[in-house]
Amino acid sequence: MRKQRGLSLVAGAVFAFLFIPLIIITITAFGEKPTIQFPITGLTFSWFAAVFENQSFIDSFLLSLEISLLATLLALAVGIPAAYALTRQAVKGRNWIKSFFLSPTIIPGVVVGYSLFQFIVIRLQVPIFQGLLLGHFLISIPYIIRVVGSSLEQLDFSIEEVAWTLGSTKVKAFTSIVLPNISSSIFAAFMLAFINSFNNIPVSQFLSGPGISLLPTTLMNYIEYNYDPIVSALSVLLMLGTIILMFLIEKTLGLAKVV
């Protein structure tokens, strides 16, 4: 009983540590004062309107959406066949290759961002948009390989072999047998990679350039010179968007199927 109470207290403390700052941010978004204050005095929705009036926020949000979506789709196109090959084939040095693909999640984000800056911008002199897309692709692919690879390791490949014996080509068996059986893990990998790409700061910071800035970078630059509740309002809108997205996933697929 004491152990259960202790675990409950620890769990409660962890949840409080995670949710109290979010609650405070939400409350400060409705304050009337021109600076972020808690507790607030008065109630207003004007800061939410100010978010949509700030063109830099709108442009950077749309660009972040475009980069994250394209990078995640490219990561899926490369990561799914790579995960299949690493799982299905007796590739020499398979464990080393897996470790290599997962290295962007192990190395600190600042180091990854600076390394990509030196390679993509300085060495290759890739244009800013293409550089951002390449950088976000590289940080997204580990999530695809890890999640999809874990699902493939639990898949009974005998069903694919049966399809071969019945005359199906390997490509058709892969698309009609393997992919449908790992569709939930593909969706989960897409969500993890997309959210990580959208919220990434180090890579976005190092690879951004004049006139091209993703939302995290724009938000960081804004906070450097401003301390008004528009930042809290934008944070609340992003949290609300995430909640709506998870609600739609639960109603359509069920969260249990994508985790």
Side-chain angles (χ1 to χ4, degrees), residues 2-258:
R2 287 184 178 180
K3 289 184 178 180
Q4 291 180 351
R5 287 183 179 178
L7 289 175
S8 298
L9 289 174
V10 172
V14 171
F15 278 108
F17 179 79
L18 292 174
F19 285 103
I20 288 177
L22 300 180
I23 295 172
I24 293 175
I25 290 173
T26 302
I27 294 173
T28 58
F30 296 93
E32 287 184 338
K33 296 290 184 179
T35 58
I36 297 176
Q37 291 183 345
F38 183 83
I40 62 174
T41 56
L43 185 67
T44 180
F45 291 89
S46 60
W47 301 112
F48 291 91
V51 171
F52 296 99
E53 294 171 359
N54 190 312
Q55 194 60 41
S56 62
F57 283 157
I58 301 298
D59 293 340
S60 60
F61 171 79
L62 294 176
L63 181 61
S64 291
L65 205 60
E66 182 180 5
I67 290 289
S68 300
L69 185 59
L70 289 176
T72 305
L73 291 176
L74 286 174
L76 283 173
V78 175
I80 293 175
Y84 176 81
L86 290 172
T87 305
R88 194 76 170 92
Q89 306 296 327
V91 181
K92 188 176 180 180
R94 180 170 57 182
N95 292 331
W96 184 88
I97 296 173
K98 284 184 177 180
S99 299
F100 174 77
F101 275 120
L102 295 177
S103 59
T105 62
I106 301 171
I107 301 172
V110 174
V111 177
V112 174
Y114 180 71
S115 301
L116 292 176
F117 170 76
Q118 288 290 333
F119 180 71
I120 295 175
V121 178
I122 303 300
R123 183 66 62 86
L124 299 180
Q125 296 184 353
V126 176
I128 297 173
F129 181 88
Q130 288 83 347
L132 280 168
L133 182 59
L134 179 58
H136 281 257
F137 162 76
L138 292 174
I139 63 173
S140 298
I141 198 168
Y143 295 92
I144 306 298
I145 293 178
R146 184 159 192 164
V147 176
V148 175
S150 299
S151 180
L152 285 170
E153 289 175 356
Q154 300 175 10
L155 181 66
D156 183 5
F157 284 103
S158 62
I159 59 176
E160 183 186 28
E161 294 170 356
V162 169
W164 295 347
T165 59
L166 294 176
S168 176
T169 63
K170 289 189 176 182
V171 174
K172 187 175 181 181
F174 177 76
T175 56
S176 60
I177 302 297
V178 177
L179 288 183
N181 279 278
I182 61 170
S183 58
S184 60
S185 65
I186 292 175
F187 187 81
F190 173 86
M191 291 299 300
L192 287 172
F194 177 81
I195 292 173
N196 176 74
S197 175
F198 189 88
N199 293 327
N200 185 275
I201 294 177
V203 172
S204 302
Q205 191 81 33
F206 277 104
L207 298 182
S208 294
I212 298 180
S213 178
L214 301 186
L215 184 59
T217 304
T218 302
L219 191 57
M220 293 291 291
N221 293 335
Y222 185 86
I223 294 174
E224 185 177 358
Y225 300 101
N226 302 275
Y227 194 65
D228 53 47
I230 191 174
V231 178
S232 299
L234 178 57
S235 301
V236 171
L237 290 174
L238 291 176
M239 286 190 290
L240 185 61
T242 303
I243 292 172
I244 293 174
L245 181 61
M246 298 309 294
F247 176 79
L248 292 176
I249 294 172
E250 171 62 25
K251 291 299 182 181
T252 55
L253 296 177
L255 289 175
K257 293 183 179 181
V258 296

